[in-house]
Amino acid sequence: MSKHVFLTGPPGVGKTTLIQKVTQALKSSGIPIDGFYTEEVREGGRRTGFDVVTLSGKRGPLSRVSSESSTSRREYRVGQYVVDLVSFEQLVLPMLRNVNHGSDAEKKICVIDEIGKMELFSQAFIQAVRQTLTGSGTVVLGTIPIPKGKPLDLVEEIRSRKDVKVFSVSKENRNSILQDILAAVESCRK
């Protein structure tokens, strides 16, 4: 019996877009939902970083292209991006704690897009995600990257959990898979 739903697939395939569509549909049926997604930041046609956007409308930087090569303070980097851990944790952790302390009368949905390399620099985030997955009152609707390079512990843990249903999103199925995802989330709430 699945308790959580995750989407996986290559970068740019449309995982976040699907998450946003599912979120809109659930919201319009009056289902309590909170969480965050990650959005590209573009300047002059090129990607300069990512923002975290919470479903309650708060926004803050997750990462930015690093301009200078010398790094003075302890930096968390993924490729050309420097991760703003403080900003990420300030936005995401209170929301996750809040989701975990709700009433169990009605199962809430918590959107976590994404559990990827940048987000996993945060030990507190890893802990909060694990708590949310083991808690009884929350259905997680999340995204995880496809395996590439060194496995990410939490990602592999989620992928192999018995209570997680994973949808693989591709260019071929991304326009037809929405109803299946919605149905899976709905059945997790039962």
Side-chain angles (χ1 to χ4, degrees), residues 63-103:
S63 64
R64 290 294 180 268
V65 172
S66 159
S67 44
E68 74 288 346
S69 52
S70 68
T71 55
S72 48
R73 61 190 195 292
R74 169 81 178 95
E75 276 193 339
Y76 299 97
R77 298 179 71 106
V78 175
Q80 59 178 340
Y81 300 102
V82 174
V83 179
D84 188 336
L85 215 53
V86 174
S87 156
F88 172 67
E89 291 187 340
Q90 280 175 341
L91 279 167
V92 169
L93 293 178
M95 180 275 303
L96 283 173
R97 292 199 182 110
N98 192 20
V99 158
N100 287 326
H101 295 303
S103 70

Side-chain angles (χ1 to χ4, degrees), residues 10-84:
V13 78
K15 298 183 294 292
T16 297
T17 305
L18 271 168
I19 290 275
Q20 288 167 331
K21 286 179 179 169
V22 172
T23 300
Q24 284 319 116
L26 294 167
K27 263 189 173 162
S28 60
S29 352
I31 293 166
I33 185 164
D34 204 352
F36 76 93
Y37 58 89
T38 315
E39 196 166 81
E40 271 189 352
V41 179
R42 301 186 85 87
E43 275 169 43
R46 52 184 276 272
R47 184 162 78 189
T48 55
F50 293 93
D51 275 356
V52 172
V53 185
T54 68
L55 297 189
S56 57
K58 296 194 184 82
R59 171 188 288 268
L62 168 63
S63 64
R64 290 294 180 268
V65 172
S66 159
S67 44
E68 74 288 346
S69 52
S70 68
T71 55
S72 48
R73 61 190 195 292
R74 169 81 178 95
E75 276 193 339
Y76 299 97
R77 298 179 71 106
V78 175
Q80 59 178 340
Y81 300 102
V82 174
V83 179
D84 188 336

